[in-house]
Amino acid sequence: MKDSHGDYDPNTQNPVNPDPDYNGDYPEQSASIATISPADKIKEMPASSKAATASPAVNRPPKPPGYALGPYLQFLTTDLDHMLWYGSALIFRHVSFNDKRPKIEFICEPKVDYTWEILYDNIFDMRAYRVHIKIELRDGASDDKIAWKIDWTDHTSEGLFHIAQRDQRWRGGFFSCNGFDATVPEQVVNDLTYTNVWKHLNSVHEENPLHLLVWGGDQNYIDFIFEDCPYLKDWVDMEWNKKWTCDFREDLREQVERYHFNMYTENWERPEVKYALETVPSLMTWDDHDIFDGAGSYPPLLHDSPVMMGLFRSAQKMRLLFQHHTTVEKACTEDHTMFGYKSYNFLARCGPHLAILGTDSRSERDAETIMDQRTWDMIFDKLNKIDPLVQHLIVIFAVPFSFLRFRLAESIFERFKNATNKCRTLPIVKQTNSIFGLPELYDDLLDEWTHQAHIRERDRGLQRFQQLSNEKRLRITFFSGDVHTCGIARFQTRRRRGVIQPVNDSKLMYQVISSAIVNIPPSRKSLHVAHYFKTKWYPDGVEDTEEELTDFFERMPETGRKLVHKKLLPNRNWCYFEQSSSATPTVVQKVGGFFHRHFSSSKNNVLPITLGPTSTADGQGSAEPPVHTHTEGRFCRQQTEQSREGSTNELTIRLWLESSEKHKEGRQFVSYELLIPGLL
């Protein structure tokens, strides 16, 4: 369907790809393109050059890798029946070494079995190996050190990671947004740096080794491909109708895949990232910038176009390789453990009492749906079979499951999207558009679970999580990133129904928001304005449930002074989490444990929160005292064992915030803690 000016309506089916079978499905290129002469091939990308940033590892376009890469460690699950820890390592070796496969050795007390698998015999002159690792899970409540050593024939490399013994409390980290998008000025990039928050995360890991690192999406910012790839740079400015109907050429596919490959290897080889990947097994879920900005959140004409579908397929291939050590063909096999209707999700068991569900909210996304109903059913089929010993389930959604609503802005941008293309290209309007010709914020809003187009799907999912929690007595917590800010939201039983203690409320579910570890945060003023939006809701059709963005931050990370706006802060950050027990609350005891709210209060709208430790002045570790010392006043009473009686397994969340005045004298990182009770 075309408008009065002859331009395709963005809401109409794509005329050359009207009914794609999956995200990444596009028609074969036309015969005229397939037989094109060498002289008409697309232009090659320019040679790589050092990007104008302080990081020596960032180039534009990304440069090809060296001759040896890895190991990049991945955690899969633990099997308590057979007392085994499962994981994998991703290793690359240049094909010029022929069949001289690297030799890996594990030096540790537990028994280790491993097997090699070739994922790609030759992918951009590299051979990609997956090493399947199976480690004896020993009884005990300590850590086992697993040292590794690789003989590459021309050199050796070595490292160490830690796994939790059967009854050890798991320690992990969570973060998102590992890069800068194309809109961030170079000077801001140099001021913030890629490395500062990463260095702090690594210093905490060195202080008390993490068992697991969860990457919450936007591991790569692929945005610059539209500037670095000559064909795509021209495509951005292409005439509207041609832009959304032209072929995704085979020579373009090869160039795009190479760009992704080099982008991953360059990012994975950044020293601070490489150290983490080699010393902490990871779990990952992707988000839009791993594909392109707003991937999936566009109307059918754009979403189903051959170029967008081709870009998606290339991103999917490289995401599965680098983030999950697998391929499209192997991902959902028994050995590679992923599942989904047309997406790739995972469920990991972390010892007896903790499990982590990683969701894929991009592979099935369109303007109306985030996850296909058949994938939802597969997820809950697995969760309903979860071991009764599991007391905490962390659910990873790249985009927050609970967040602010922007209904007026949604309506305005929907109107702009539905305007004629001629209207959208007027100079005063065009300057507010994205490279795809729609309003810049249109896809950002449509990305959200709380957007009007997705809130019903969100609420149906919430109801199923509530049912699961109630039947299994399983505490569910959501971890998310994406929004470049940090805070805590919460679902719980609506208070009009009377007092329900947190340990008995199966509807009590916290939303941890941690973003970004690298990217620029929003301005402080914009977040102040956000506090005047509605921050408490009663989800339609979800019985006796209230949802709220909580007052989590009592004091400023920079000064320790009391805050007026306590829900969201504009500081880069990452999240530490640890299982804890009411009998042995290790994290709480270590930092002094003065809680702002009473955990066993007669009200159920309180938060079990405290100021956590801080880093040293040079941004290292977690051994310094809180940014503010509380008194034993009415609202600063010390947490006691009696107030937590009956809760046998808890989850401690510690949000680490970078001070926005980090270059001035003082502590660079300040933490805030939340204690999530088990469910009785």
Side-chain angles (χ1 to χ4, degrees):
M1 184 174 68
K2 296 181 178 180
D3 62 26
S4 58
H5 303 284
D7 294 320
Y8 287 120
D9 185 324
N11 299 305
T12 196
Q13 281 189 320
N14 189 285
V16 299
N17 198 26
D19 191 23
D21 189 47
Y22 57 91
N23 282 352
D25 182 24
Y26 60 91
E28 293 184 9
Q29 64 185 25
S30 61
S32 60
I33 296 293
T35 58
I36 200 167
S37 67
D40 293 323
K41 291 285 187 181
I42 64 172
K43 296 177 183 177
E44 292 293 329
M45 278 189 284
S48 296
S49 60
K50 174 70 177 66
T53 72
S55 175
V58 179
N59 299 276
R60 292 277 310 278
K63 66 180 181 180
Y67 279 36
L69 299 170
Y72 308 132
L73 301 175
Q74 176 181 220
F75 169 68
L76 292 175
T77 195
T78 56
D79 180 345
L80 270 63
D81 292 332
H82 299 92
M83 293 296 285
L84 292 170
W85 180 101
Y86 286 93
S88 65
L90 183 65
I91 293 174
F92 293 91
R93 191 56 160 150
H94 196 271
V95 294
S96 63
F97 284 80
N98 299 318
D99 295 327
K100 295 179 181 178
R101 189 181 73 189
K103 297 178 181 178
I104 192 167
E105 178 185 6
F106 294 97
I107 305 98
C108 55
E109 293 183 11
K111 181 182 178 182
V112 179
D113 290 325
Y114 62 91
T115 58
W116 291 79
E117 178 182 10
I118 295 177
L119 298 177
Y120 291 98
D121 193 58
N122 187 336
I123 182 166
F124 303 116
D125 298 325
M126 301 293 282
R127 185 167 289 117
Y129 297 98
R130 172 176 171 138
V131 182
H132 298 261
I133 305 171
K134 187 166 57 176
I135 305 175
E136 175 191 5
L137 184 64
R138 301 199 299 174
D139 284 321
S142 186
D143 291 351
D144 276 321
K145 298 178 182 179
I146 314 297
W148 55 264
K149 184 176 182 179
I150 297 180
D151 180 359
W152 301 90
T153 68
D154 59 341
H155 71 284
T156 61
S157 58
E158 58 187 14
L160 177 75
F161 64 97
H162 293 72
I163 69 170
Q165 293 177 351
R166 186 192 185 281
D167 296 316
Q168 170 68 304
R169 296 184 297 277
W170 282 59
R171 302 180 298 272
F174 172 84
F175 66 88
S176 64
C177 304
N178 177 39
F180 293 100
D181 62 64
T183 66
V184 181
E186 290 177 355
Q187 186 56 51
V188 173
V189 172
N190 284 324
D191 289 344
L192 290 173
T193 77
Y194 281 80
T195 61
N196 199 59
V197 186
W198 266 108
K199 285 180 178 178
H200 179 256
L201 186 157
N202 286 335
S203 74
V204 172
H205 167 53
E206 290 170 353
E207 187 179 76
N208 196 13
L210 303 177
H211 304 123
L212 180 65
L213 195 56
V214 181
W215 303 50
D218 292 343
Q219 276 72 267
N220 276 326
Y221 277 75
I222 208 70
D223 305 40
F224 292 103
I225 195 172
F226 296 101
E227 298 177 20
D228 294 340
C229 175
Y231 181 90
L232 290 178
K233 189 173 184 178
D234 292 340
W235 175 83
V236 166
D237 296 322
M238 199 176 284
E239 185 270 329
W240 178 262
N241 287 1
K242 183 179 179 182
K243 183 176 184 176
W244 304 118
T245 56
C246 66
D247 285 310
F248 187 72
R249 299 166 47 149
E250 187 62 19
D251 49 357
L252 176 60
R253 179 199 61 77
E254 192 274 342
Q255 196 173 88
V256 168
E257 287 187 3
R258 183 182 293 274
Y259 191 96
H260 274 273
F261 186 87
N262 292 347
M263 188 75 177
Y264 270 106
T265 58
E266 187 169 276
N267 253 338
W268 268 211
E269 290 295 298
R270 282 165 39 198
E272 68 280 8
V273 177
K274 179 182 175 69
Y275 174 77
L277 285 167
E278 291 182 346
T279 62
V280 192
S282 290
L283 286 172
M284 303 189 190
T285 187
W286 69 341
D287 203 11
D288 59 331
H289 288 278
D290 294 304
I291 313 161
F292 53 81
D293 188 15
S297 294
Y298 291 100
L301 177 71
L302 285 66
H303 179 276
D304 299 341
S305 65
V307 170
M308 273 201 173
M309 283 289 178
L311 292 172
F312 194 99
R313 184 189 292 185
S314 297
Q316 183 78 275
K317 177 180 178 178
M318 295 303 163
R319 167 252 180 152
L320 289 174
L321 174 59
F322 283 92
Q323 298 193 31
H324 302 289
H325 306 180
T326 189
T327 67
V328 172
E329 296 78 16
K330 296 179 178 181
C332 293
T333 61
E334 183 177 355
D335 286 343
H336 291 224
T337 71
M338 305 192 82
F339 68 94
Y341 172 58
K342 292 181 179 177
S343 59
Y344 303 94
N345 309 271
F346 61 81
L347 180 61
R349 178 85 179 270
C350 306
H353 305 304
L354 176 66
I356 298 177
L357 170 69
T359 65
D360 176 356
S361 56
R362 291 291 164 181
S363 292
E364 295 163 347
R365 178 186 285 263
D366 58 31
E368 298 175 351
T369 302
I370 294 181
M371 289 161 52
D372 190 279
Q373 183 61 43
R374 284 160 285 197
T375 290
W376 279 110
D377 291 342
M378 294 170 76
I379 285 172
F380 282 97
D381 180 61
K382 286 186 175 291
L383 292 179
N384 283 321
K385 298 173 183 175
I386 205 165
D387 192 316
L389 284 176
V390 175
Q391 297 179 16
H392 283 271
L393 172 67
I394 295 174
V395 180
I396 311 299
F397 285 119
V399 176
F401 208 53
S402 175
F403 198 58
L404 296 168
R405 280 71 155 158
F406 302 97
R407 295 292 182 255
L408 178 60
E410 291 171 13
S411 177
I412 292 171
F413 288 121
E414 183 70 16
R415 288 178 180 272
F416 272 110
K417 185 260 293 185
N418 292 333
T420 64
N421 183 54
K422 188 171 183 178
C423 176
R424 289 194 304 272
T425 54
L426 292 172
I428 194 172
V429 178
K430 188 175 182 179
Q431 63 184 354
T432 66
N433 287 345
S434 72
I435 60 173
F436 303 126
L438 295 182
E440 179 66 50
L441 293 178
Y442 169 79
D443 63 282
D444 294 303
L445 294 172
L446 190 55
D447 274 350
E448 299 297 325
W449 278 104
T450 52
H451 189 283
Q452 189 66 47
H454 301 311
I455 192 69
R456 289 186 179 179
E457 180 185 347
R458 197 287 305 257
D459 288 346
R460 290 193 298 270
L462 175 60
Q463 287 176 303
R464 296 182 77 170
F465 281 121
Q466 288 180 340
Q467 181 181 359
L468 176 77
S469 176
N470 185 53
E471 292 176 355
K472 294 282 187 178
R473 309 314 292 172
L474 179 66
R475 177 68 69 210
I476 297 173
T477 304
F478 305 110
F479 279 25
S480 305
D482 180 74
V483 291
H484 299 183
T485 186
C486 52
I488 302 290
R490 175 184 59 192
F491 301 96
Q492 64 180 4
T493 297
R494 196 167 181 176
R495 291 200 301 275
R496 69 180 183 184
R497 293 296 180 181
V499 175
I500 299 179
Q501 294 297 327
V503 293
N504 302 121
D505 188 359
S506 61
K507 294 182 179 179
L508 176 62
M509 301 177 189
Y510 287 99
Q511 166 72 74
V512 178
I513 303 168
S514 178
S515 169
I517 194 170
V518 172
N519 209 348
I520 185 173
S523 69
R524 193 171 296 275
K525 287 183 179 179
S526 67
L527 286 187
H528 287 176
V529 171
H531 281 75
Y532 295 98
F533 283 70
K534 186 177 181 181
T535 58
K536 190 171 187 176
W537 310 271
Y538 302 97
D540 290 341
V542 184
E543 185 179 1
D544 295 335
T545 300
E546 65 181 41
E547 174 186 0
E548 183 178 12
L549 190 59
T550 67
D551 289 334
F552 180 66
F553 302 105
E554 294 284 343
R555 295 183 178 271
M556 291 184 66
E558 291 78 12
T559 64
R561 294 177 182 172
K562 282 190 174 182
L563 279 164
V564 175
H565 303 100
K566 304 177 182 180
K567 299 180 186 299
L568 299 169
L569 284 182
N571 299 71
R572 297 194 300 179
N573 61 91
W574 69 280
C575 176
Y576 173 92
F577 62 93
E578 179 182 358
Q579 291 177 281
S580 54
S581 166
S582 57
T584 53
T586 57
V587 172
V588 175
Q589 287 181 344
K590 183 166 62 178
V591 301
F594 290 93
F595 276 67
H596 297 175
R597 300 285 190 263
H598 303 293
F599 191 75
S600 59
S601 168
S602 60
K603 298 180 180 180
N604 69 341
N605 65 331
V606 296
L607 280 173
I609 61 177
T610 185
L611 289 171
T614 59
S615 73
T616 59
D618 60 353
Q620 297 295 301
S622 61
E624 297 299 314
V627 72
H628 170 79
T629 301
H630 298 297
T631 63
E632 288 285 337
R634 180 180 178 186
F635 299 107
C636 288
R637 187 169 299 173
Q638 186 172 9
Q639 179 69 12
T640 65
E641 290 303 309
Q642 184 178 5
S643 69
R644 296 162 60 191
E645 186 176 359
S647 181
T648 58
N649 198 297
E650 296 156 352
L651 190 65
T652 298
I653 305 299
R654 181 182 292 167
L655 277 175
W656 277 104
L657 274 63
E658 176 191 47
S659 170
S660 61
E661 299 175 3
K662 63 185 175 66
H663 296 298
K664 297 182 180 180
E665 185 177 353
R667 300 183 182 101
Q668 287 196 32
F669 291 89
V670 176
S671 69
Y672 303 78
E673 291 187 359
L674 168 69
L675 188 68
I676 299 177
L679 181 59
L680 297 179

